[in-house]
Amino acid sequence: MSVTEEQHVRTRFSDLDTQRHTTSRTYEDSCLGERYKILEAAGYSWKRMIEESVRLQTIGADIRFLAQQMENTNLSVNTSVSSGDEGFLSFIQEVVDPSGKVAAEIRTLARTEKEGKPFQIFPVEESAEALVSSFESVAPFSGRCERASVDRDLFFCERNPFGEYNPSHYWRLLEEGRWNFTDECGLSLDDLVAMDTTLFYMGGKIRYHKPLVAGKKATVKTWIRSFEKIWSRMRQEIIDFETGEVLAESLDDLLVVSVSKSRPKKAGEDMLKIFSRITEFPEGEGEK
């Protein structure tokens, strides 16, 4: 099928985060809207989907952030989609700034379902196996280190028209886990300045396993999987507070940056020492 669509989104002041640029959730919410527009063009508006118990279930996402954006910026969202059997869909979306530079790229694996069973809307182009295999799995936690942990309520008022949570809500919980991680490590802004080091979230992989349940609590576990030169590989899990089931997990790419020089640097011994108790493979990925 490989349909390509171009739509326009204007950022707002309310899209800015504490680092004074547009939050990643703004990109995902804009891309989600375009995914639903493609379903609508195929005859399935979100209203018809609700009436006929059809759902678009998100399974995985690979994300890259390439250029920070500010408020009142007109961004374009380019979308292409490949269809597989068993209702699988692979979306590739680029968020492009006014100069034509790609600000973010989001690859999403999803599946259309009717009453919980695979439902085919688009003609089959590829096998489900081919689409699924293009999204690598996230390695399970080995148990070799401590993990930062925070519990968060899942509010009823933040659900979408389907009574479910958009993927960006998972992103919100993961970001909350990253902030809590820094806090549990005892790192203040002054500490980071003293080390001339900060970590920039540049993207990663998110895998969605089970839905968040409104009115319940979710626990976010966060830890460093390994340091690789100028990169910190961070792992996270969103866990059902009551059952302990993993609802979603991620492997994130954080760039280690010198604050004074505004360029990447290798993590220093001071940072490695602070993170040692919550680093799964301090000796590196090759020594599993």
Side-chain angles (χ1 to χ4, degrees):
M1 180 172 49
S2 297
V3 176
T4 299
E5 298 284 340
E6 179 177 330
Q7 301 293 334
H8 298 280
V9 177
R10 185 172 177 82
T11 61
R12 305 162 298 176
F13 172 79
S14 59
D15 294 322
L16 302 183
D17 60 16
T18 56
Q19 282 134 356
R20 305 176 186 179
H21 58 255
T22 299
T23 176
S24 60
R25 297 187 301 276
T26 299
Y27 301 138
E28 166 55 23
D29 283 333
S30 299
C31 288
L32 178 67
E34 301 314 310
R35 299 198 289 270
Y36 274 99
K37 284 181 181 178
I38 287 177
L39 294 180
E40 183 174 10
Y44 281 86
S45 67
W46 63 266
K47 293 180 181 179
R48 180 183 176 185
M49 291 172 69
I50 290 176
E51 292 171 356
E52 299 183 12
S53 298
V54 175
R55 298 290 185 270
L56 179 67
Q57 299 293 351
T58 306
I59 298 168
D62 291 349
I63 311 140
R64 292 195 308 154
F65 301 112
L66 304 169
Q68 298 177 356
Q69 301 298 311
M70 301 300 293
E71 80 277 24
N72 302 322
T73 302
N74 292 318
L75 302 174
S76 299
V77 180
N78 301 325
T79 303
S80 62
V81 57
S82 298
S83 61
D85 56 354
E86 300 181 31
F88 279 97
L89 297 168
S90 176
F91 297 89
I92 298 178
Q93 297 179 282
E94 292 182 338
V95 181
V96 182
D97 72 14
S99 72
K101 184 175 182 179
V102 176
E105 179 184 88
I106 302 175
R107 295 177 62 241
T108 304
L109 179 67
R111 180 170 64 191
T112 47
E113 300 178 354
K114 183 178 178 67
E115 298 179 347
K117 298 179 180 179
F119 181 66
Q120 200 73 34
I121 293 179
F122 299 98
V124 175
E125 294 180 321
E126 302 183 49
S127 68
E129 182 181 1
L131 294 184
V132 173
S133 64
S134 67
F135 287 78
E136 298 177 354
S137 60
V138 174
F141 177 51
S142 68
R144 292 181 47 166
C145 68
E146 297 179 35
R147 300 189 288 178
S149 179
V150 64
D151 300 327
R152 287 293 178 259
D153 293 313
L154 300 174
F155 296 110
F156 289 99
C157 63
E158 294 182 326
R159 295 171 296 169
N160 63 23
F162 298 96
E164 301 165 351
Y165 291 97
N166 292 329
S168 62
H169 197 75
Y170 292 78
W171 293 30
R172 181 189 299 274
L173 291 171
L174 293 170
E175 183 174 349
E176 183 71 8
R178 293 193 294 273
W179 279 109
N180 177 74
F181 169 86
T182 304
D183 184 62
E184 278 200 26
C185 288
L187 283 176
S188 67
L189 178 60
D190 289 339
D191 295 326
L192 292 171
V193 170
M195 291 189 292
D196 189 28
T197 305
T198 190
L199 298 173
F200 283 172
Y201 176 57
M202 302 297 291
K205 306 175 187 299
I206 302 175
R207 302 296 178 256
Y208 308 87
H209 300 307
K210 292 193 174 183
L212 303 171
V213 180
K216 303 294 185 180
K217 286 182 180 290
T219 300
V220 185
K221 301 282 188 179
T222 306
W223 68 102
I224 298 292
R225 182 168 176 83
S226 65
F227 282 96
E228 302 171 23
K229 297 181 180 179
I230 62 173
W231 292 99
S232 168
R233 308 297 183 186
M234 178 176 280
R235 278 280 282 113
Q236 295 188 272
E237 291 178 349
I238 301 175
I239 299 171
D240 186 290
F241 179 82
E242 296 179 359
T243 68
E245 292 181 286
V246 177
L247 307 178
E249 58 187 338
S250 69
L251 174 62
D252 304 324
D253 297 327
L254 280 75
L255 186 65
V256 185
V257 175
S258 165
V259 177
S260 62
K261 297 179 180 178
S262 298
R263 59 180 167 184
K265 59 177 278 188
K266 186 176 180 179
E269 291 299 323
D270 48 358
M271 174 169 281
L272 295 177
K273 183 177 180 180
I274 291 172
F275 289 154
S276 60
R277 70 178 179 86
I278 43 181
T279 300
E280 189 173 3
F281 297 108
E283 69 278 22
E285 286 283 356
E287 302 294 332
K288 299 178 186 178

